[in-house]
PDB file of all heavy atoms in Angstrom:
ATOM      1  N   VAL G 707     275.200   5.830  77.269  1.00 98.00           N
ATOM      2  CA  VAL G 707     274.256   5.002  78.030  1.00 98.00           C
ATOM      3  C   VAL G 707     273.223   5.841  78.727  1.00 98.00           C
ATOM      4  O   VAL G 707     271.971   5.481  78.622  1.00 98.00           O
ATOM      5  CB  VAL G 707     274.909   4.090  79.024  1.00 98.00           C
ATOM      6  CG1 VAL G 707     273.959   3.406  79.974  1.00 98.00           C
ATOM      7  CG2 VAL G 707     275.876   3.132  78.272  1.00 98.00           C
ATOM      8  N   ARG G 708     273.545   6.922  79.273  1.00 98.00           N
ATOM      9  CA  ARG G 708     272.546   7.830  79.958  1.00 98.00           C
ATOM     10  C   ARG G 708     271.623   8.311  78.862  1.00 98.00           C
ATOM     11  O   ARG G 708     270.394   8.466  79.114  1.00 98.00           O
ATOM     12  CB  ARG G 708     273.221   9.032  80.674  1.00 98.00           C
ATOM     13  CG  ARG G 708     273.965   8.562  81.991  1.00 98.00           C
ATOM     14  CD  ARG G 708     273.067   8.254  83.073  1.00 98.00           C
ATOM     15  NE  ARG G 708     272.245   9.510  83.419  1.00 98.00           N
ATOM     16  CZ  ARG G 708     272.647  10.578  84.087  1.00 98.00           C
ATOM     17  NH1 ARG G 708     273.956  10.567  84.659  1.00 98.00           N
ATOM     18  NH2 ARG G 708     271.875  11.552  84.459  1.00 98.00           N
ATOM     19  N   ALA G 709     272.089   8.690  77.673  1.00 98.00           N
ATOM     20  CA  ALA G 709     271.254   9.277  76.677  1.00 98.00           C
ATOM     21  C   ALA G 709     270.269   8.143  76.194  1.00 98.00           C
ATOM     22  O   ALA G 709     269.029   8.454  75.866  1.00 98.00           O
ATOM     23  CB  ALA G 709     272.083   9.751  75.473  1.00 98.00           C
ATOM     24  N   ALA G 710     270.850   6.941  76.010  1.00 98.00           N
ATOM     25  CA  ALA G 710     269.964   5.793  75.525  1.00 98.00           C
ATOM     26  C   ALA G 710     268.889   5.538  76.646  1.00 98.00           C
ATOM     27  O   ALA G 710     267.651   5.213  76.193  1.00 98.00           O
ATOM     28  CB  ALA G 710     270.745   4.643  75.301  1.00 98.00           C
ATOM     29  N   ASN G 711     269.196   5.510  77.803  1.00 98.00           N
ATOM     30  CA  ASN G 711     268.252   5.257  78.875  1.00 98.00           C
ATOM     31  C   ASN G 711     267.142   6.390  78.978  1.00 98.00           C
ATOM     32  O   ASN G 711     265.919   6.187  79.346  1.00 98.00           O
ATOM     33  CB  ASN G 711     268.965   5.100  80.253  1.00 98.00           C
ATOM     34  CG  ASN G 711     269.395   3.773  80.418  1.00 98.00           C
ATOM     35  OD1 ASN G 711     268.759   2.753  80.106  1.00 98.00           O
ATOM     36  ND2 ASN G 711     270.632   3.648  81.084  1.00 98.00           N
ATOM     37  N   ALA G 712     267.509   7.679  78.666  1.00 98.00           N
ATOM     38  CA  ALA G 712     266.542   8.761  78.446  1.00 98.00           C
ATOM     39  C   ALA G 712     265.504   8.433  77.512  1.00 98.00           C
ATOM     40  O   ALA G 712     264.282   8.601  77.663  1.00 98.00           O
ATOM     41  CB  ALA G 712     267.225  10.087  78.219  1.00 98.00           C
ATOM     42  N   VAL G 713     265.821   7.860  76.341  1.00 98.00           N
ATOM     43  CA  VAL G 713     264.969   7.587  75.318  1.00 98.00           C
ATOM     44  C   VAL G 713     264.117   6.299  75.735  1.00 98.00           C
ATOM     45  O   VAL G 713     262.895   6.304  75.551  1.00 98.00           O
ATOM     46  CB  VAL G 713     265.746   7.105  73.977  1.00 98.00           C
ATOM     47  CG1 VAL G 713     264.744   6.631  72.869  1.00 98.00           C
ATOM     48  CG2 VAL G 713     266.528   8.345  73.454  1.00 98.00           C
ATOM     49  N   LYS G 714     264.731   5.338  76.344  1.00 97.00           N
ATOM     50  CA  LYS G 714     263.979   4.240  76.898  1.00 97.00           C
ATOM     51  C   LYS G 714     262.926   4.619  77.869  1.00 97.00           C
ATOM     52  O   LYS G 714     261.705   4.117  77.821  1.00 97.00           O
ATOM     53  CB  LYS G 714     264.955   3.220  77.499  1.00 97.00           C
ATOM     54  CG  LYS G 714     264.253   2.038  78.182  1.00 97.00           C
ATOM     55  CD  LYS G 714     265.304   1.155  78.926  1.00 97.00           C
ATOM     56  CE  LYS G 714     264.636  -0.065  79.534  1.00 97.00           C
ATOM     57  NZ  LYS G 714     265.635  -0.894  80.231  1.00 97.00           N
ATOM     58  N   ALA G 715     263.226   5.632  78.697  1.00 97.00           N
ATOM     59  CA  ALA G 715     262.305   6.067  79.737  1.00 97.00           C
ATOM     60  C   ALA G 715     261.276   7.058  79.215  1.00 97.00           C
ATOM     61  O   ALA G 715     260.302   7.497  79.877  1.00 97.00           O
ATOM     62  CB  ALA G 715     263.028   6.739  80.890  1.00 97.00           C
ATOM     63  N   GLY G 716     261.334   7.405  77.917  1.00 96.00           N
ATOM     64  CA  GLY G 716     260.319   8.374  77.356  1.00 96.00           C
ATOM     65  C   GLY G 716     260.748   9.799  77.681  1.00 96.00           C
ATOM     66  O   GLY G 716     259.948  10.719  77.361  1.00 96.00           O
ATOM     67  N   GLU G 717     261.850  10.052  78.120  1.00 97.00           N
ATOM     68  CA  GLU G 717     262.353  11.521  78.364  1.00 97.00           C
ATOM     69  C   GLU G 717     262.811  12.206  77.209  1.00 97.00           C
ATOM     70  O   GLU G 717     263.078  13.399  77.164  1.00 97.00           O
ATOM     71  CB  GLU G 717     263.372  11.484  79.513  1.00 97.00           C
ATOM     72  CG  GLU G 717     262.864  10.900  80.871  1.00 97.00           C
ATOM     73  CD  GLU G 717     263.929  10.586  81.799  1.00 97.00           C
ATOM     74  OE1 GLU G 717     265.125  10.842  81.525  1.00 97.00           O
ATOM     75  OE2 GLU G 717     263.709  10.083  82.925  1.00 97.00           O
ATOM     76  N   ALA G 718     263.051  11.373  76.073  1.00 98.00           N
ATOM     77  CA  ALA G 718     263.649  11.941  74.935  1.00 98.00           C
ATOM     78  C   ALA G 718     262.921  11.101  73.732  1.00 98.00           C
ATOM     79  O   ALA G 718     262.568   9.927  73.949  1.00 98.00           O
ATOM     80  CB  ALA G 718     265.049  11.943  74.802  1.00 98.00           C
ATOM     81  N   ASP G 719     262.911  11.752  72.539  1.00 98.00           N
ATOM     82  CA  ASP G 719     262.209  10.998  71.421  1.00 98.00           C
ATOM     83  C   ASP G 719     263.239  10.312  70.528  1.00 98.00           C
ATOM     84  O   ASP G 719     262.850   9.495  69.712  1.00 98.00           O
ATOM     85  CB  ASP G 719     261.475  12.061  70.586  1.00 98.00           C
ATOM     86  CG  ASP G 719     260.392  12.781  71.354  1.00 98.00           C
ATOM     87  OD1 ASP G 719     259.556  12.104  71.987  1.00 98.00           O
ATOM     88  OD2 ASP G 719     260.432  14.000  71.530  1.00 98.00           O
ATOM     89  N   ALA G 720     264.483  10.665  70.578  1.00 98.00           N
ATOM     90  CA  ALA G 720     265.516  10.101  69.711  1.00 98.00           C
ATOM     91  C   ALA G 720     266.846  10.178  70.335  1.00 98.00           C
ATOM     92  O   ALA G 720     267.069  10.965  71.246  1.00 98.00           O
ATOM     93  CB  ALA G 720     265.485  10.855  68.334  1.00 98.00           C
ATOM     94  N   LEU G 721     267.783   9.393  69.833  1.00 98.00           N
ATOM     95  CA  LEU G 721     269.167   9.301  70.278  1.00 98.00           C
ATOM     96  C   LEU G 721     270.169   9.585  69.193  1.00 98.00           C
ATOM     97  O   LEU G 721     270.020   9.075  68.090  1.00 98.00           O
ATOM     98  CB  LEU G 721     269.449   7.956  70.854  1.00 98.00           C
ATOM     99  CG  LEU G 721     270.790   7.482  71.318  1.00 98.00           C
ATOM    100  CD1 LEU G 721     271.349   8.466  72.368  1.00 98.00           C
ATOM    101  CD2 LEU G 721     270.917   6.045  71.700  1.00 98.00           C
ATOM    102  N   PHE G 722     271.157  10.413  69.525  1.00 98.00           N
ATOM    103  CA  PHE G 722     272.143  10.753  68.607  1.00 98.00           C
ATOM    104  C   PHE G 722     273.586  10.543  69.182  1.00 98.00           C
ATOM    105  O   PHE G 722     273.811  10.812  70.305  1.00 98.00           O
ATOM    106  CB  PHE G 722     272.098  12.227  68.140  1.00 98.00           C
ATOM    107  CG  PHE G 722     273.389  12.769  67.428  1.00 98.00           C
ATOM    108  CD1 PHE G 722     273.480  12.595  66.027  1.00 98.00           C
ATOM    109  CD2 PHE G 722     274.355  13.283  68.049  1.00 98.00           C
ATOM    110  CE1 PHE G 722     274.590  12.898  65.406  1.00 98.00           C
ATOM    111  CE2 PHE G 722     275.422  13.764  67.429  1.00 98.00           C
ATOM    112  CZ  PHE G 722     275.605  13.595  66.125  1.00 98.00           C
ATOM    113  N   SER G 723     274.472   9.995  68.388  1.00 97.00           N
ATOM    114  CA  SER G 723     275.887   9.903  68.759  1.00 97.00           C
ATOM    115  C   SER G 723     276.812   9.894  67.595  1.00 97.00           C
ATOM    116  O   SER G 723     276.379   9.452  66.451  1.00 97.00           O
ATOM    117  CB  SER G 723     276.113   8.615  69.612  1.00 97.00           C
ATOM    118  OG  SER G 723     277.473   8.516  69.968  1.00 97.00           O
ATOM    119  N   ALA G 724     278.076  10.294  67.761  1.00 95.00           N
ATOM    120  CA  ALA G 724     279.056  10.144  66.715  1.00 95.00           C
ATOM    121  C   ALA G 724     280.126   9.302  67.279  1.00 95.00           C
ATOM    122  O   ALA G 724     281.230   9.204  66.749  1.00 95.00           O
ATOM    123  CB  ALA G 724     279.658  11.590  66.350  1.00 95.00           C
ATOM    124  N   GLY G 725     279.851   8.561  68.379  1.00 95.00           N
ATOM    125  CA  GLY G 725     280.777   7.707  69.080  1.00 95.00           C
ATOM    126  C   GLY G 725     280.936   6.305  68.576  1.00 95.00           C
ATOM    127  O   GLY G 725     280.599   5.991  67.453  1.00 95.00           O
ATOM    128  N   ASN G 726     281.329   5.442  69.462  1.00 94.00           N
ATOM    129  CA  ASN G 726     281.644   4.031  69.172  1.00 94.00           C
ATOM    130  C   ASN G 726     280.334   3.317  68.548  1.00 94.00           C
ATOM    131  O   ASN G 726     279.386   3.272  69.212  1.00 94.00           O
ATOM    132  CB  ASN G 726     281.944   3.365  70.587  1.00 94.00           C
ATOM    133  CG  ASN G 726     282.402   1.931  70.394  1.00 94.00           C
ATOM    134  OD1 ASN G 726     281.666   1.164  69.724  1.00 94.00           O
ATOM    135  ND2 ASN G 726     283.471   1.529  71.082  1.00 94.00           N
ATOM    136  N   THR G 727     280.434   2.924  67.333  1.00 92.00           N
ATOM    137  CA  THR G 727     279.318   2.404  66.589  1.00 92.00           C
ATOM    138  C   THR G 727     278.776   1.118  67.275  1.00 92.00           C
ATOM    139  O   THR G 727     277.554   0.954  67.441  1.00 92.00           O
ATOM    140  CB  THR G 727     279.737   2.018  65.183  1.00 92.00           C
ATOM    141  OG1 THR G 727     280.210   3.271  64.572  1.00 92.00           O
ATOM    142  CG2 THR G 727     278.472   1.560  64.390  1.00 92.00           C
ATOM    143  N   GLY G 728     279.659   0.189  67.687  1.00 93.00           N
ATOM    144  CA  GLY G 728     279.230  -1.014  68.380  1.00 93.00           C
ATOM    145  C   GLY G 728     278.541  -0.798  69.628  1.00 93.00           C
ATOM    146  O   GLY G 728     277.512  -1.393  69.863  1.00 93.00           O
ATOM    147  N   ALA G 729     279.035   0.181  70.433  1.00 95.00           N
ATOM    148  CA  ALA G 729     278.336   0.585  71.738  1.00 95.00           C
ATOM    149  C   ALA G 729     276.933   1.146  71.451  1.00 95.00           C
ATOM    150  O   ALA G 729     276.018   0.868  72.210  1.00 95.00           O
ATOM    151  CB  ALA G 729     279.293   1.442  72.508  1.00 95.00           C
ATOM    152  N   LEU G 730     276.891   1.953  70.418  1.00 96.00           N
ATOM    153  CA  LEU G 730     275.637   2.540  70.085  1.00 96.00           C
ATOM    154  C   LEU G 730     274.634   1.479  69.677  1.00 96.00           C
ATOM    155  O   LEU G 730     273.440   1.564  70.047  1.00 96.00           O
ATOM    156  CB  LEU G 730     275.701   3.688  69.005  1.00 96.00           C
ATOM    157  CG  LEU G 730     274.499   4.435  68.754  1.00 96.00           C
ATOM    158  CD1 LEU G 730     273.934   5.221  69.932  1.00 96.00           C
ATOM    159  CD2 LEU G 730     274.659   5.404  67.450  1.00 96.00           C
ATOM    160  N   LEU G 731     275.058   0.597  68.851  1.00 94.00           N
ATOM    161  CA  LEU G 731     274.226  -0.573  68.413  1.00 94.00           C
ATOM    162  C   LEU G 731     273.738  -1.304  69.608  1.00 94.00           C
ATOM    163  O   LEU G 731     272.547  -1.626  69.699  1.00 94.00           O
ATOM    164  CB  LEU G 731     274.943  -1.447  67.440  1.00 94.00           C
ATOM    165  CG  LEU G 731     275.088  -1.010  65.970  1.00 94.00           C
ATOM    166  CD1 LEU G 731     276.162  -1.760  65.295  1.00 94.00           C
ATOM    167  CD2 LEU G 731     273.768  -1.159  65.290  1.00 94.00           C
ATOM    168  N   SER G 732     274.604  -1.625  70.517  1.00 95.00           N
ATOM    169  CA  SER G 732     274.288  -2.327  71.720  1.00 95.00           C
ATOM    170  C   SER G 732     273.286  -1.588  72.534  1.00 95.00           C
ATOM    171  O   SER G 732     272.284  -2.154  73.096  1.00 95.00           O
ATOM    172  CB  SER G 732     275.522  -2.707  72.518  1.00 95.00           C
ATOM    173  OG  SER G 732     276.397  -3.464  71.879  1.00 95.00           O
ATOM    174  N   SER G 733     273.474  -0.327  72.749  1.00 96.00           N
ATOM    175  CA  SER G 733     272.620   0.559  73.474  1.00 96.00           C
ATOM    176  C   SER G 733     271.213   0.564  72.810  1.00 96.00           C
ATOM    177  O   SER G 733     270.182   0.569  73.558  1.00 96.00           O
ATOM    178  CB  SER G 733     273.146   2.034  73.621  1.00 96.00           C
ATOM    179  OG  SER G 733     274.379   1.889  74.249  1.00 96.00           O
ATOM    180  N   ALA G 734     271.149   0.711  71.439  1.00 96.00           N
ATOM    181  CA  ALA G 734     269.890   0.712  70.740  1.00 96.00           C
ATOM    182  C   ALA G 734     269.148  -0.588  70.908  1.00 96.00           C
ATOM    183  O   ALA G 734     267.906  -0.525  71.198  1.00 96.00           O
ATOM    184  CB  ALA G 734     270.169   1.067  69.246  1.00 96.00           C
TER     185      ALA G 734
END
């Protein structure tokens, strides 16, 4: 969630994870 929020805030250009697929979809 912290990584996804960094992308949302413009602090990062992309998000990567090897974790929970459903949670990553929800975060995206």
Side-chain angles (χ1 to χ4, degrees):
V707 171
R708 288 283 302 279
N711 277 321
V713 176
K714 178 183 179 181
E717 298 167 0
D719 302 302
L721 170 62
F722 166 86
S723 178
N726 185 312
T727 302
L730 185 64
L731 281 164
S732 298
S733 299

